[in-house]
Amino acid sequence: MPDQSRLPRHVAIIMDGNGRWARQQGNPRIIGHQAGVRSVQEVVKCARELGIKALTLYAFSTENWQRPGSEVENLMGLLQTYLESQLDKMLQNQVQLRTCGRIERLPPKVRQILERTMAKTAANDGLILNLALSYGSRDEILRATRHLALEAAQGRLQPEEITEELFGAQLDTSGLPDPDLMIRTGGEARLSNFLLWQLSYSELYFTRVLWPDFGREDFLAAIGDYQQRQRRFGRTGEQISDREQE
């Protein structure tokens, strides 16, 4: 088991490989997405058991709206089914649901269920499950910038008053610590417009395991790899070692 004293507070995951997993088995892409839901359930359970504070899952990007209409419809249906089937477990396990992204673009029925689930789990004080839905980091940063620019234009804010903390408070992840660890499955090694501001000092972990095959042991392996790294934040290794000895 991982060292409980060195757990990441916040883990972010790009869940990649559902379509390729299905194609390798001669199945339509939706079968891969359905299999990927099982991995979501397993990783959420493991994160909760470990005591990780927050888990952000890149579930649907702003770019994903460009996919064929039938696939988008299927993905929205899977999201609705997941929310409806997992509410009782979220309540039992003190999981709080949050979102980031333009959820106003989601179909009304899905958005209604999503908002109801968030309201019912709002008081839970265990794991924060943050679903990135209709999310793009550049869009998020632009929205935050426009808000602060408007505040300045209307005289409620001076440009020199804009700090990293103030800017971060305008992002969709406001109130969450920045991810300590970002995991991407599926063999690709890029960020794909995901949490570009928040991942500035995150440890990055890339694995060839396709998301539907990613389970508890794979998640624990990523945590173990994270715990082998020395997080310096601009300092020297000697400074970190000295601080650990104090």
Side-chain angles (χ1 to χ4, degrees):
M1 288 294 290
D3 181 351
Q4 289 292 313
S5 68
R6 300 188 61 219
L7 286 174
R9 296 171 302 166
H10 183 178
V11 178
I13 305 180
I14 300 176
M15 306 178 293
D16 195 14
N18 291 339
R20 279 171 287 158
W21 184 90
R23 189 166 60 248
Q24 288 175 4
Q25 302 186 40
N27 290 318
R29 290 174 59 86
I30 186 59
I31 301 300
H33 294 307
Q34 290 171 345
V37 172
R38 294 194 294 271
S39 295
V40 169
Q41 293 170 335
E42 192 164 345
V43 167
V44 169
K45 180 181 179 182
C46 186
R48 177 70 181 93
E49 291 173 350
L50 289 174
I52 289 171
K53 177 179 175 60
L55 178 68
T56 293
L57 302 179
Y58 203 7
F60 193 86
S61 73
T62 51
E63 292 77 18
N64 287 156
W65 289 112
Q66 302 174 55
R67 292 188 177 187
S70 58
E71 182 170 347
V72 171
E73 184 177 352
N74 285 331
L75 288 169
M76 292 298 113
L78 275 178
L79 173 59
Q80 179 177 333
T81 300
Y82 173 79
L83 294 171
E84 292 174 332
S85 66
Q86 295 300 303
L87 176 58
D88 287 343
K89 288 185 180 179
M90 290 183 190
L91 294 172
Q92 292 168 8
N93 295 299
Q94 289 295 298
V95 174
Q96 178 189 138
L97 183 69
R98 284 185 51 164
T99 63
C100 57
R102 289 182 175 265
I103 65 170
E104 69 273 9
R105 294 189 64 187
L106 301 178
K109 178 65 173 178
V110 175
R111 189 171 69 249
Q112 181 184 40
I113 293 171
L114 181 64
E115 291 173 345
R116 185 166 66 240
T117 305
M118 288 192 289
K120 289 185 176 180
T121 62
N124 290 350
D125 59 2
L127 172 72
I128 296 173
L129 174 59
N130 185 38
L131 298 182
L133 295 165
S134 190
Y135 174 83
S137 187
R138 288 184 174 184
D139 174 74
E140 175 191 34
I141 291 170
L142 278 174
R143 285 187 279 116
T145 302
R146 288 169 180 155
H147 175 80
L148 292 175
L150 181 60
E151 291 287 295
Q154 295 179 345
R156 293 193 292 267
L157 178 69
Q158 295 302 311
E160 61 271 17
E161 295 174 335
I162 299 175
T163 62
E164 289 189 12
E165 291 73 22
L166 183 61
F167 187 84
Q170 304 305 318
L171 298 175
D172 296 344
T173 53
S174 176
L176 295 178
D178 287 343
D180 300 296
L181 170 65
M182 192 286 294
I183 300 169
R184 180 168 187 154
T185 64
E188 304 290 355
R190 57 177 177 268
L191 296 181
S192 297
N193 199 18
F194 182 53
L195 300 177
L196 301 179
W197 175 277
Q198 297 90 334
L199 293 178
S200 295
Y201 272 101
S202 302
E203 298 297 324
L204 308 182
Y205 180 88
F206 299 101
T207 174
R208 292 188 176 277
V209 177
L210 301 176
W211 179 248
D213 291 326
F214 190 90
R216 179 184 179 87
E217 293 307 313
D218 301 289
F219 187 64
L220 292 175
I223 299 295
D225 182 88
Y226 165 83
Q227 293 188 335
Q228 297 302 311
R229 304 187 190 186
Q230 186 183 63
R231 309 194 71 206
R232 296 191 293 273
F233 298 97
R235 294 170 299 208
T236 68
E238 290 77 10
Q239 284 176 299
I240 299 299
S241 297
D242 292 344
R243 186 173 181 180
E244 290 174 349
Q245 293 171 8
E246 291 176 358

PDB file of all heavy atoms in Angstrom, residues 39-67:
ATOM      1  N   SER A  39     -13.981   1.282 -14.953  1.00  0.00           N
ATOM      2  CA  SER A  39     -12.706   1.781 -14.440  1.00  0.00           C
ATOM      3  C   SER A  39     -12.911   3.025 -13.586  1.00  0.00           C
ATOM      4  O   SER A  39     -12.236   3.201 -12.564  1.00  0.00           O
ATOM      5  CB  SER A  39     -11.765   2.105 -15.613  1.00  0.00           C
ATOM      6  OG  SER A  39     -11.432   0.932 -16.324  1.00  0.00           O
ATOM      7  N   VAL A  40     -13.838   3.881 -13.985  1.00  0.00           N
ATOM      8  CA  VAL A  40     -14.167   5.057 -13.171  1.00  0.00           C
ATOM      9  C   VAL A  40     -14.606   4.603 -11.780  1.00  0.00           C
ATOM     10  O   VAL A  40     -14.125   5.127 -10.760  1.00  0.00           O
ATOM     11  CB  VAL A  40     -15.277   5.895 -13.832  1.00  0.00           C
ATOM     12  CG1 VAL A  40     -15.794   6.955 -12.859  1.00  0.00           C
ATOM     13  CG2 VAL A  40     -14.756   6.561 -15.102  1.00  0.00           C
ATOM     14  N   GLN A  41     -15.500   3.644 -11.723  1.00  0.00           N
ATOM     15  CA  GLN A  41     -16.017   3.177 -10.437  1.00  0.00           C
ATOM     16  C   GLN A  41     -14.896   2.609  -9.563  1.00  0.00           C
ATOM     17  O   GLN A  41     -14.830   2.880  -8.358  1.00  0.00           O
ATOM     18  CB  GLN A  41     -17.086   2.113 -10.677  1.00  0.00           C
ATOM     19  CG  GLN A  41     -18.335   2.664 -11.340  1.00  0.00           C
ATOM     20  CD  GLN A  41     -19.293   1.574 -11.807  1.00  0.00           C
ATOM     21  OE1 GLN A  41     -18.888   0.449 -12.066  1.00  0.00           O
ATOM     22  NE2 GLN A  41     -20.567   1.914 -11.922  1.00  0.00           N
ATOM     23  N   GLU A  42     -13.984   1.853 -10.180  1.00  0.00           N
ATOM     24  CA  GLU A  42     -12.901   1.237  -9.415  1.00  0.00           C
ATOM     25  C   GLU A  42     -11.911   2.270  -8.896  1.00  0.00           C
ATOM     26  O   GLU A  42     -11.465   2.204  -7.742  1.00  0.00           O
ATOM     27  CB  GLU A  42     -12.179   0.199 -10.288  1.00  0.00           C
ATOM     28  CG  GLU A  42     -11.242  -0.692  -9.503  1.00  0.00           C
ATOM     29  CD  GLU A  42     -10.825  -1.936 -10.270  1.00  0.00           C
ATOM     30  OE1 GLU A  42     -11.466  -2.256 -11.285  1.00  0.00           O
ATOM     31  OE2 GLU A  42      -9.842  -2.575  -9.847  1.00  0.00           O
ATOM     32  N   VAL A  43     -11.575   3.258  -9.725  1.00  0.00           N
ATOM     33  CA  VAL A  43     -10.610   4.276  -9.318  1.00  0.00           C
ATOM     34  C   VAL A  43     -11.213   5.193  -8.264  1.00  0.00           C
ATOM     35  O   VAL A  43     -10.533   5.576  -7.296  1.00  0.00           O
ATOM     36  CB  VAL A  43     -10.117   5.072 -10.550  1.00  0.00           C
ATOM     37  CG1 VAL A  43      -9.363   6.316 -10.125  1.00  0.00           C
ATOM     38  CG2 VAL A  43      -9.237   4.188 -11.423  1.00  0.00           C
ATOM     39  N   VAL A  44     -12.478   5.553  -8.408  1.00  0.00           N
ATOM     40  CA  VAL A  44     -13.139   6.380  -7.399  1.00  0.00           C
ATOM     41  C   VAL A  44     -13.138   5.652  -6.052  1.00  0.00           C
ATOM     42  O   VAL A  44     -12.834   6.249  -5.003  1.00  0.00           O
ATOM     43  CB  VAL A  44     -14.583   6.723  -7.824  1.00  0.00           C
ATOM     44  CG1 VAL A  44     -15.358   7.344  -6.655  1.00  0.00           C
ATOM     45  CG2 VAL A  44     -14.570   7.685  -9.005  1.00  0.00           C
ATOM     46  N   LYS A  45     -13.455   4.381  -6.074  1.00  0.00           N
ATOM     47  CA  LYS A  45     -13.473   3.593  -4.835  1.00  0.00           C
ATOM     48  C   LYS A  45     -12.090   3.551  -4.197  1.00  0.00           C
ATOM     49  O   LYS A  45     -11.939   3.735  -2.977  1.00  0.00           O
ATOM     50  CB  LYS A  45     -13.957   2.175  -5.121  1.00  0.00           C
ATOM     51  CG  LYS A  45     -14.015   1.280  -3.892  1.00  0.00           C
ATOM     52  CD  LYS A  45     -14.484  -0.128  -4.254  1.00  0.00           C
ATOM     53  CE  LYS A  45     -14.510  -1.029  -3.018  1.00  0.00           C
ATOM     54  NZ  LYS A  45     -14.921  -2.417  -3.353  1.00  0.00           N
ATOM     55  N   CYS A  46     -11.056   3.335  -5.004  1.00  0.00           N
ATOM     56  CA  CYS A  46      -9.693   3.251  -4.487  1.00  0.00           C
ATOM     57  C   CYS A  46      -9.246   4.589  -3.916  1.00  0.00           C
ATOM     58  O   CYS A  46      -8.650   4.649  -2.828  1.00  0.00           O
ATOM     59  CB  CYS A  46      -8.749   2.800  -5.599  1.00  0.00           C
ATOM     60  SG  CYS A  46      -7.055   2.493  -5.049  1.00  0.00           S
ATOM     61  N   ALA A  47      -9.538   5.671  -4.624  1.00  0.00           N
ATOM     62  CA  ALA A  47      -9.151   7.000  -4.143  1.00  0.00           C
ATOM     63  C   ALA A  47      -9.830   7.306  -2.817  1.00  0.00           C
ATOM     64  O   ALA A  47      -9.214   7.880  -1.909  1.00  0.00           O
ATOM     65  CB  ALA A  47      -9.511   8.059  -5.187  1.00  0.00           C
ATOM     66  N   ARG A  48     -11.084   6.933  -2.699  1.00  0.00           N
ATOM     67  CA  ARG A  48     -11.823   7.160  -1.444  1.00  0.00           C
ATOM     68  C   ARG A  48     -11.208   6.360  -0.306  1.00  0.00           C
ATOM     69  O   ARG A  48     -11.040   6.874   0.811  1.00  0.00           O
ATOM     70  CB  ARG A  48     -13.299   6.785  -1.640  1.00  0.00           C
ATOM     71  CG  ARG A  48     -14.144   6.904  -0.371  1.00  0.00           C
ATOM     72  CD  ARG A  48     -14.326   8.356   0.003  1.00  0.00           C
ATOM     73  NE  ARG A  48     -15.106   8.503   1.223  1.00  0.00           N
ATOM     74  CZ  ARG A  48     -14.600   8.605   2.446  1.00  0.00           C
ATOM     75  NH1 ARG A  48     -13.281   8.586   2.613  1.00  0.00           N
ATOM     76  NH2 ARG A  48     -15.389   8.748   3.501  1.00  0.00           N
ATOM     77  N   GLU A  49     -10.863   5.104  -0.567  1.00  0.00           N
ATOM     78  CA  GLU A  49     -10.282   4.259   0.471  1.00  0.00           C
ATOM     79  C   GLU A  49      -8.915   4.769   0.922  1.00  0.00           C
ATOM     80  O   GLU A  49      -8.557   4.669   2.103  1.00  0.00           O
ATOM     81  CB  GLU A  49     -10.165   2.817  -0.035  1.00  0.00           C
ATOM     82  CG  GLU A  49     -11.517   2.129  -0.221  1.00  0.00           C
ATOM     83  CD  GLU A  49     -11.397   0.774  -0.880  1.00  0.00           C
ATOM     84  OE1 GLU A  49     -10.279   0.439  -1.368  1.00  0.00           O
ATOM     85  OE2 GLU A  49     -12.403   0.051  -0.922  1.00  0.00           O
ATOM     86  N   LEU A  50      -8.146   5.329  -0.008  1.00  0.00           N
ATOM     87  CA  LEU A  50      -6.821   5.844   0.328  1.00  0.00           C
ATOM     88  C   LEU A  50      -6.896   7.135   1.131  1.00  0.00           C
ATOM     89  O   LEU A  50      -5.962   7.479   1.840  1.00  0.00           O
ATOM     90  CB  LEU A  50      -6.008   6.096  -0.944  1.00  0.00           C
ATOM     91  CG  LEU A  50      -5.522   4.873  -1.723  1.00  0.00           C
ATOM     92  CD1 LEU A  50      -4.872   5.302  -3.024  1.00  0.00           C
ATOM     93  CD2 LEU A  50      -4.554   4.041  -0.887  1.00  0.00           C
ATOM     94  N   GLY A  51      -7.997   7.858   0.992  1.00  0.00           N
ATOM     95  CA  GLY A  51      -8.117   9.140   1.680  1.00  0.00           C
ATOM     96  C   GLY A  51      -7.650  10.311   0.850  1.00  0.00           C
ATOM     97  O   GLY A  51      -7.342  11.382   1.394  1.00  0.00           O
ATOM     98  N   ILE A  52      -7.605  10.146  -0.477  1.00  0.00           N
ATOM     99  CA  ILE A  52      -7.257  11.253  -1.358  1.00  0.00           C
ATOM    100  C   ILE A  52      -8.371  12.291  -1.297  1.00  0.00           C
ATOM    101  O   ILE A  52      -9.552  11.944  -1.266  1.00  0.00           O
ATOM    102  CB  ILE A  52      -7.032  10.725  -2.792  1.00  0.00           C
ATOM    103  CG1 ILE A  52      -5.729   9.908  -2.829  1.00  0.00           C
ATOM    104  CG2 ILE A  52      -6.997  11.855  -3.812  1.00  0.00           C
ATOM    105  CD1 ILE A  52      -5.502   9.163  -4.117  1.00  0.00           C
ATOM    106  N   LYS A  53      -7.999  13.553  -1.285  1.00  0.00           N
ATOM    107  CA  LYS A  53      -8.985  14.624  -1.096  1.00  0.00           C
ATOM    108  C   LYS A  53      -9.839  14.861  -2.333  1.00  0.00           C
ATOM    109  O   LYS A  53     -11.066  15.056  -2.226  1.00  0.00           O
ATOM    110  CB  LYS A  53      -8.281  15.928  -0.706  1.00  0.00           C
ATOM    111  CG  LYS A  53      -9.213  17.133  -0.558  1.00  0.00           C
ATOM    112  CD  LYS A  53      -8.459  18.378  -0.160  1.00  0.00           C
ATOM    113  CE  LYS A  53      -9.349  19.613  -0.126  1.00  0.00           C
ATOM    114  NZ  LYS A  53     -10.466  19.474   0.830  1.00  0.00           N
ATOM    115  N   ALA A  54      -9.210  14.892  -3.514  1.00  0.00           N
ATOM    116  CA  ALA A  54      -9.949  15.247  -4.733  1.00  0.00           C
ATOM    117  C   ALA A  54      -9.464  14.415  -5.914  1.00  0.00           C
ATOM    118  O   ALA A  54      -8.278  14.093  -6.032  1.00  0.00           O
ATOM    119  CB  ALA A  54      -9.794  16.735  -5.034  1.00  0.00           C
ATOM    120  N   LEU A  55     -10.403  14.098  -6.789  1.00  0.00           N
ATOM    121  CA  LEU A  55     -10.123  13.336  -7.999  1.00  0.00           C
ATOM    122  C   LEU A  55     -10.852  14.021  -9.153  1.00  0.00           C
ATOM    123  O   LEU A  55     -12.086  14.126  -9.141  1.00  0.00           O
ATOM    124  CB  LEU A  55     -10.623  11.896  -7.845  1.00  0.00           C
ATOM    125  CG  LEU A  55     -10.462  10.956  -9.044  1.00  0.00           C
ATOM    126  CD1 LEU A  55      -8.979  10.664  -9.293  1.00  0.00           C
ATOM    127  CD2 LEU A  55     -11.228   9.653  -8.800  1.00  0.00           C
ATOM    128  N   THR A  56     -10.094  14.535 -10.119  1.00  0.00           N
ATOM    129  CA  THR A  56     -10.692  15.181 -11.276  1.00  0.00           C
ATOM    130  C   THR A  56     -10.548  14.279 -12.491  1.00  0.00           C
ATOM    131  O   THR A  56      -9.438  13.865 -12.836  1.00  0.00           O
ATOM    132  CB  THR A  56     -10.035  16.545 -11.567  1.00  0.00           C
ATOM    133  OG1 THR A  56     -10.331  17.455 -10.504  1.00  0.00           O
ATOM    134  CG2 THR A  56     -10.574  17.150 -12.864  1.00  0.00           C
ATOM    135  N   LEU A  57     -11.667  13.968 -13.134  1.00  0.00           N
ATOM    136  CA  LEU A  57     -11.679  13.081 -14.295  1.00  0.00           C
ATOM    137  C   LEU A  57     -12.088  13.871 -15.535  1.00  0.00           C
ATOM    138  O   LEU A  57     -13.127  14.534 -15.542  1.00  0.00           O
ATOM    139  CB  LEU A  57     -12.663  11.927 -14.071  1.00  0.00           C
ATOM    140  CG  LEU A  57     -12.421  11.058 -12.836  1.00  0.00           C
ATOM    141  CD1 LEU A  57     -13.489   9.972 -12.750  1.00  0.00           C
ATOM    142  CD2 LEU A  57     -11.025  10.451 -12.858  1.00  0.00           C
ATOM    143  N   TYR A  58     -11.258  13.792 -16.576  1.00  0.00           N
ATOM    144  CA  TYR A  58     -11.540  14.481 -17.841  1.00  0.00           C
ATOM    145  C   TYR A  58     -12.543  13.631 -18.604  1.00  0.00           C
ATOM    146  O   TYR A  58     -12.184  12.726 -19.349  1.00  0.00           O
ATOM    147  CB  TYR A  58     -10.236  14.622 -18.618  1.00  0.00           C
ATOM    148  CG  TYR A  58     -10.187  15.734 -19.634  1.00  0.00           C
ATOM    149  CD1 TYR A  58     -11.200  16.673 -19.774  1.00  0.00           C
ATOM    150  CD2 TYR A  58      -9.076  15.857 -20.481  1.00  0.00           C
ATOM    151  CE1 TYR A  58     -11.121  17.693 -20.701  1.00  0.00           C
ATOM    152  CE2 TYR A  58      -8.978  16.877 -21.409  1.00  0.00           C
ATOM    153  CZ  TYR A  58     -10.002  17.789 -21.522  1.00  0.00           C
ATOM    154  OH  TYR A  58      -9.913  18.810 -22.435  1.00  0.00           O
ATOM    155  N   ALA A  59     -13.817  13.930 -18.426  1.00  0.00           N
ATOM    156  CA  ALA A  59     -14.880  13.072 -18.943  1.00  0.00           C
ATOM    157  C   ALA A  59     -15.343  13.467 -20.345  1.00  0.00           C
ATOM    158  O   ALA A  59     -15.710  12.599 -21.148  1.00  0.00           O
ATOM    159  CB  ALA A  59     -16.068  13.089 -17.981  1.00  0.00           C
ATOM    160  N   PHE A  60     -15.355  14.782 -20.647  1.00  0.00           N
ATOM    161  CA  PHE A  60     -15.843  15.238 -21.951  1.00  0.00           C
ATOM    162  C   PHE A  60     -15.285  16.631 -22.191  1.00  0.00           C
ATOM    163  O   PHE A  60     -15.543  17.553 -21.418  1.00  0.00           O
ATOM    164  CB  PHE A  60     -17.379  15.273 -21.956  1.00  0.00           C
ATOM    165  CG  PHE A  60     -17.996  15.436 -23.315  1.00  0.00           C
ATOM    166  CD1 PHE A  60     -18.234  14.336 -24.123  1.00  0.00           C
ATOM    167  CD2 PHE A  60     -18.336  16.691 -23.796  1.00  0.00           C
ATOM    168  CE1 PHE A  60     -18.806  14.480 -25.384  1.00  0.00           C
ATOM    169  CE2 PHE A  60     -18.897  16.858 -25.047  1.00  0.00           C
ATOM    170  CZ  PHE A  60     -19.139  15.743 -25.849  1.00  0.00           C
ATOM    171  N   SER A  61     -14.532  16.769 -23.263  1.00  0.00           N
ATOM    172  CA  SER A  61     -13.869  18.052 -23.532  1.00  0.00           C
ATOM    173  C   SER A  61     -14.711  18.937 -24.446  1.00  0.00           C
ATOM    174  O   SER A  61     -15.672  18.477 -25.085  1.00  0.00           O
ATOM    175  CB  SER A  61     -12.502  17.809 -24.185  1.00  0.00           C
ATOM    176  OG  SER A  61     -12.668  17.391 -25.531  1.00  0.00           O
ATOM    177  N   THR A  62     -14.342  20.209 -24.520  1.00  0.00           N
ATOM    178  CA  THR A  62     -15.017  21.114 -25.453  1.00  0.00           C
ATOM    179  C   THR A  62     -14.845  20.619 -26.886  1.00  0.00           C
ATOM    180  O   THR A  62     -15.743  20.780 -27.719  1.00  0.00           O
ATOM    181  CB  THR A  62     -14.452  22.539 -25.326  1.00  0.00           C
ATOM    182  OG1 THR A  62     -13.019  22.502 -25.412  1.00  0.00           O
ATOM    183  CG2 THR A  62     -14.846  23.180 -23.999  1.00  0.00           C
ATOM    184  N   GLU A  63     -13.705  19.994 -27.171  1.00  0.00           N
ATOM    185  CA  GLU A  63     -13.451  19.469 -28.509  1.00  0.00           C
ATOM    186  C   GLU A  63     -14.292  18.235 -28.814  1.00  0.00           C
ATOM    187  O   GLU A  63     -14.554  17.923 -29.988  1.00  0.00           O
ATOM    188  CB  GLU A  63     -11.961  19.143 -28.679  1.00  0.00           C
ATOM    189  CG  GLU A  63     -11.035  20.350 -28.704  1.00  0.00           C
ATOM    190  CD  GLU A  63     -10.783  20.945 -27.329  1.00  0.00           C
ATOM    191  OE1 GLU A  63     -11.037  20.252 -26.319  1.00  0.00           O
ATOM    192  OE2 GLU A  63     -10.345  22.105 -27.252  1.00  0.00           O
ATOM    193  N   ASN A  64     -14.711  17.514 -27.781  1.00  0.00           N
ATOM    194  CA  ASN A  64     -15.495  16.290 -27.997  1.00  0.00           C
ATOM    195  C   ASN A  64     -16.858  16.563 -28.631  1.00  0.00           C
ATOM    196  O   ASN A  64     -17.488  15.643 -29.170  1.00  0.00           O
ATOM    197  CB  ASN A  64     -15.693  15.528 -26.689  1.00  0.00           C
ATOM    198  CG  ASN A  64     -14.446  14.835 -26.198  1.00  0.00           C
ATOM    199  OD1 ASN A  64     -14.299  14.571 -24.998  1.00  0.00           O
ATOM    200  ND2 ASN A  64     -13.515  14.525 -27.097  1.00  0.00           N
ATOM    201  N   TRP A  65     -17.324  17.814 -28.566  1.00  0.00           N
ATOM    202  CA  TRP A  65     -18.590  18.140 -29.221  1.00  0.00           C
ATOM    203  C   TRP A  65     -18.495  17.953 -30.733  1.00  0.00           C
ATOM    204  O   TRP A  65     -19.532  17.858 -31.417  1.00  0.00           O
ATOM    205  CB  TRP A  65     -19.000  19.580 -28.911  1.00  0.00           C
ATOM    206  CG  TRP A  65     -19.438  19.808 -27.497  1.00  0.00           C
ATOM    207  CD1 TRP A  65     -18.800  20.547 -26.544  1.00  0.00           C
ATOM    208  CD2 TRP A  65     -20.632  19.311 -26.857  1.00  0.00           C
ATOM    209  NE1 TRP A  65     -19.508  20.532 -25.360  1.00  0.00           N
ATOM    210  CE2 TRP A  65     -20.633  19.788 -25.523  1.00  0.00           C
ATOM    211  CE3 TRP A  65     -21.690  18.509 -27.287  1.00  0.00           C
ATOM    212  CZ2 TRP A  65     -21.659  19.491 -24.625  1.00  0.00           C
ATOM    213  CZ3 TRP A  65     -22.711  18.201 -26.401  1.00  0.00           C
ATOM    214  CH2 TRP A  65     -22.687  18.687 -25.084  1.00  0.00           C
ATOM    215  N   GLN A  66     -17.270  17.891 -31.270  1.00  0.00           N
ATOM    216  CA  GLN A  66     -17.083  17.716 -32.712  1.00  0.00           C
ATOM    217  C   GLN A  66     -17.247  16.264 -33.149  1.00  0.00           C
ATOM    218  O   GLN A  66     -17.241  15.971 -34.346  1.00  0.00           O
ATOM    219  CB  GLN A  66     -15.691  18.205 -33.113  1.00  0.00           C
ATOM    220  CG  GLN A  66     -15.406  19.656 -32.764  1.00  0.00           C
ATOM    221  CD  GLN A  66     -13.963  20.037 -33.043  1.00  0.00           C
ATOM    222  OE1 GLN A  66     -13.469  19.870 -34.152  1.00  0.00           O
ATOM    223  NE2 GLN A  66     -13.288  20.543 -32.025  1.00  0.00           N
ATOM    224  N   ARG A  67     -17.370  15.350 -32.206  1.00  0.00           N
ATOM    225  CA  ARG A  67     -17.518  13.941 -32.554  1.00  0.00           C
ATOM    226  C   ARG A  67     -18.885  13.695 -33.205  1.00  0.00           C
ATOM    227  O   ARG A  67     -19.790  14.527 -33.102  1.00  0.00           O
ATOM    228  CB  ARG A  67     -17.353  13.073 -31.307  1.00  0.00           C
ATOM    229  CG  ARG A  67     -15.936  13.086 -30.767  1.00  0.00           C
ATOM    230  CD  ARG A  67     -15.741  12.074 -29.657  1.00  0.00           C
ATOM    231  NE  ARG A  67     -14.349  12.044 -29.205  1.00  0.00           N
ATOM    232  CZ  ARG A  67     -13.853  11.164 -28.347  1.00  0.00           C
ATOM    233  NH1 ARG A  67     -14.650  10.239 -27.824  1.00  0.00           N
ATOM    234  NH2 ARG A  67     -12.585  11.207 -27.998  1.00  0.00           N
TER     235      ARG A  67
END
